[in-house]
Amino acid sequence: MSRQGYYLSTLKKPTLILLFALSPLLLSGSMHFTNVTEKYNVGGYSYFGAHGVCWVDVNNDGKLDLYIKNEDAKGVLNVENILFINYGNIFLDEAFLRGVADAYPPGTHGAVFADLDNDKDFDLFSTTTYEGISPSYNHIYENDGIGYFQDITGNISPSQDIDTFSRGVAAADFDGDGDIDLFFSNPLPDAKPFRTQPSPPQQLKNFYMNNGDGTFTWTYRGIEWIGFVQGVSAVDIDQDGDIDIAEAKWAPPSTIYLNDGNGYFHKAGGSLGLPLTINVKDNGMSFADIDNDGDLDLAVIGAHRIAIYKNKEGIFQKYNSMSTAGSNSGFHCCFGDFDNDGDLDLYESGGYIYQNDGQGNFVYVSLNLSALMASLNTVDPRSSALGDFDRDGDLDIFIADKRGYNVLLRNDIDDSNWIQVEVLSDQTGGTGGVGAKITLYEGGHLGEPGYLKGFREITGEYGYLAQDMPAAHFGAPQSSIYDLKIEFLNGEQRTLSGIVPGQKIQTAYILPPVNLTGERKLNKALFYYENIIQLTWNANPDNKNITKYRIYRIEEWRKLDYLDEVSAENLVFYIRNTSNDTQYIFAVIAVDNNNIEGAPAYVTVE
Amino acid sequence: MRKIRTCLFMFFLFSVMIYAGNEEMKSSRLSVSGGVYFMQDEVFKEVYGDSAWVFCGEYSYRLPFLLKRHIEAGIEYRFLSDRGKLTVTKEPVDLVISDVAFSLRYLFDLKRFIPFVGPGLDYIMYKEKYPPTFPVSSTKGSVLGFSFQGGCYYDFSSSLGAKVCVKYSRAQAEEGLVKADIGGIGIKAGLVFRFDL
C-alpha cells in the first residue's frame, strides 16, 4: 500500500471514490499544526535517543511539563532523561536538578507518573533496559510536591536483584485497595532474540504492589513472560470496574490480561476476539472510544500497519487497517479530538493524522491542511504524547525521535469548542484519577446512551511508552451545552449539568469545601492583642461521610505544609503567629470516614 | 433562710435602739464590702462582660485636727477577679486586678447617717493570664489612677454600721501598643466596724 493510505471499509468502490473526492471539502480548515520545537526549546540534545514521553504537571503550577526517556543515544554513556519544566514561553531541562535524570549507561525506555503516596502530586516510576551493565533496576521517585524527587527504590521489597529489560509500564490501583500499584514488562535481563517465544512461559515477578505505607512488594500476579514486550496499556478493557493490562509483543501475539478484581490476572486469550498472530512485531495497543458508544475500542500498531478493532459488547472485531507512514514509523498511535468536533481522531507518531468521520472511520488529512511535515520529517519516531501545554483548549503533540531532534507540534485550532475534565483527587485520595471513566452527554440527557458525546478513561502510560496529560479532552461544539458523568474506579459517581464549552472542569471524588474565606483578625484580651488569621468554610453538600477537615499552608513553590485538622462540625480554624507583612495561602481539604482526602479549596490572605 | 433574715433584722433593730441614746464617736472604722465594678474599657466588655465582682476591705480614721473632725482618711484594698473569653477564639482568660487606694473624705454628720465625698489616689496592680496557645502566658503590671467617691455610712450602734459607696476611678494601663482604660464605676456595700485605737 502506498504512503497515502486511505481507509478500507465495507463501502462499495464508487462510494469510496466519491468520499475521497469530497474529503478535502469535508475537512477543509479543520486541523492545522505548527512546529514550535525551537520556540520552546524542546528538541532535546544532539545525541538524540528519545523513546518514551510523558505530559504531566510535576510542580503543581498548572502547566504541563514534559519527561522524555532517552536510550541508545549516539556515543553518549550515562545518558540522562530529560525533564522539561514548562515556564510558559519556554521549557528548561531540569532533570538532574530535580533528581530524575535516572541515568543508566545505555539509557532507559518507559516511565509513568502517578500519585503513589496519595499526597496529590505525581511521583515517577521509571524503568531501565539492561544492555550489559549491572545493575539495571527500575526506580521509583517520590515527588515532594513541588517537582523535586527523591529516589525511594529502596522501599521495594524484596530488594531488586535481577536486571530488567523493561519497556512499557503501567500504574493503576490493580487490587482496589486504595493506592496505585506498578507493573513493568520484560522482568529479566535479556529478552533477545526478540522474535522468539520461550517455552514454557516464565512466571517472573513483574508487579510492585503498593502497601499503602510507602513500601512496595515485588511479586507475580499472573502475567507470564512469554516473549519480548514493547508497549503496555492499562484500562478497564472489559468494563467490569477493575483495570486490565494489554501487552504489545513482537513474537507472541499481543495479549490482553483481565483483572479478577483483586489484582490477579489471567490471559483473555481469544475470548475478546483478538487474532492470534505470530511474528507481527506489535509496538503498542491504544484503547479509546472511537465511535462514541461508551466502550473502549482498540488500535494495534506495529509491522507497518495500524489495525483498528471496534468493541462490540466486549468482543473486539477487526474494523479496518491502514499502512503506517514510512519504514521507520509504526511505534505508536494515539487518539485525540484534534479538531474539537466531538469525536476522536487518530495520529500516528511520526506519520499522518486521520480525521474521524463520526462513525469510527478515519480519513486521511492532507499535509496541506494539517501542516504535519515536521511529523513526517522525524528520523526514527517512537512515542508521541498529547497535552494542552499552552492551555488554549486543544491537543498539542510531542514526538520523541530516537535518531533526530524531538518535535513539538502546537495545535492551531484555537476555538472554544472543547471541555477538559481534570480529576484533582480520586477514590484513593491521590491526584490524577487513574481509572476514572468520564462520559459527556448532550445537555439534559445525562446517562442516555443515544446522547453520548464522548467517553474517556483516564490512564497512565499506554501505546508505546506514551503518557498523555492526565485530563480528559472532549471536542464540544458551542451550539450545545453538556452534562458530565465521572465514575471513579470504586463505582462512585459525580455528575455535572449544564456545562458550557470552552472551560476546564476540575472535579474530585471528595469535593472541596465551599465558601472558604480567610480574614486577619485581632484576638483580644484586655492587655494583649494577638494577630491571627481566621479561616471559615462550609461543608460541600455533595460530599458524604466527611469526618474532618485538614488544613495546610501553601508554602513557597506550592509545597503543602500540614497545620492541623478539625472535626467535621468545626468549620473554623485559626492560624497563629502570623505576620501582617506576609501573604499567606491556605488549603482546606475534606476527609471522609475512610481517611480519603478530597480536593483542596484555596484561599489567599493578603 | 427566713430564720436567718429574721435574726439579723432583730439584731440590727436592737443595736439601733441601744445606739439611739449614745453620742460617743469612735475614730477608726474597719469595713468589708462587696459590689460590682463597671469598667469603661470596650475590650473589657467584649472579653469579660459588662461588669465584674469586686471585694474590698478598708481602714479609715477620722482625723482629729482637721475641720472639726469632719475629714476622714482611708486606705482601701480592692480585689477583682474574673474569667472571660478571647474575642475571636473564645478561649478562656483570667483577670485579676487589685489596688490599694488612699482617700480623703468629708463627712457630713447627720446623726446615724453620715454621707461622705472625697478624692483618692489608686495604685492598681493587674495580671491577665492566657491560654497555652496564646503567644504569651500572661501580662502583668501596675498603674496609678485617680478616683472620686461618694457614699454614706449608717451607724447601727457605736460599733457597728453599714456603708454604701459609689466610686468613680480613672486609670490607663499601657502594655506595648495596647492601651486599656481600667477606670470605671464601682458600686459596693458592706459592714463597718467602729473602734478606737
Side-chain angles (χ1 to χ4, degrees), chain A residues 521-530 532 534 574 576-577, chain B residues 41 43 47 86-89 91 126 128 130 133-135 175:
Chain A
K521 286 191 176 262
L522 279 179
N523 192 25
K524 296 180 186 175
L526 181 58
F527 295 109
Y528 198 96
Y529 298 170
E530 178 192 19
I532 62 171
Q534 176 182 277
Y574 303 103
R576 306 185 114 119
N577 299 316
Chain B
D41 193 273
V43 176
V47 178
L86 293 171
T87 55
V88 177
T89 60
E91 293 158 291
Y126 53 84
E128 194 173 38
Y130 309 118
T133 50
F134 214 62
E175 292 291 333

Side-chain angles (χ1 to χ4, degrees), chain A residues 8-66:
Chain A
L8 296 176
S9 75
T10 55
L11 294 173
K12 294 188 177 164
K13 203 179 259 188
T15 313
L16 189 66
I17 293 170
L18 179 64
L19 258 177
F20 168 59
L22 289 173
S23 63
L25 296 174
L26 293 169
L27 305 174
S28 176
S30 60
M31 289 190 200
H32 190 274
F33 292 85
T34 300
N35 183 359
V36 293
T37 307
E38 276 190 39
K39 177 182 177 183
Y40 289 98
N41 189 39
V42 290
Y45 300 107
S46 58
Y47 50 75
F48 309 138
H51 271 269
V53 59
C54 307
W55 280 113
V56 67
D57 180 8
V58 299
N59 55 356
N60 276 328
D61 68 348
K63 297 190 288 292
L64 287 173
D65 309 300
L66 198 53

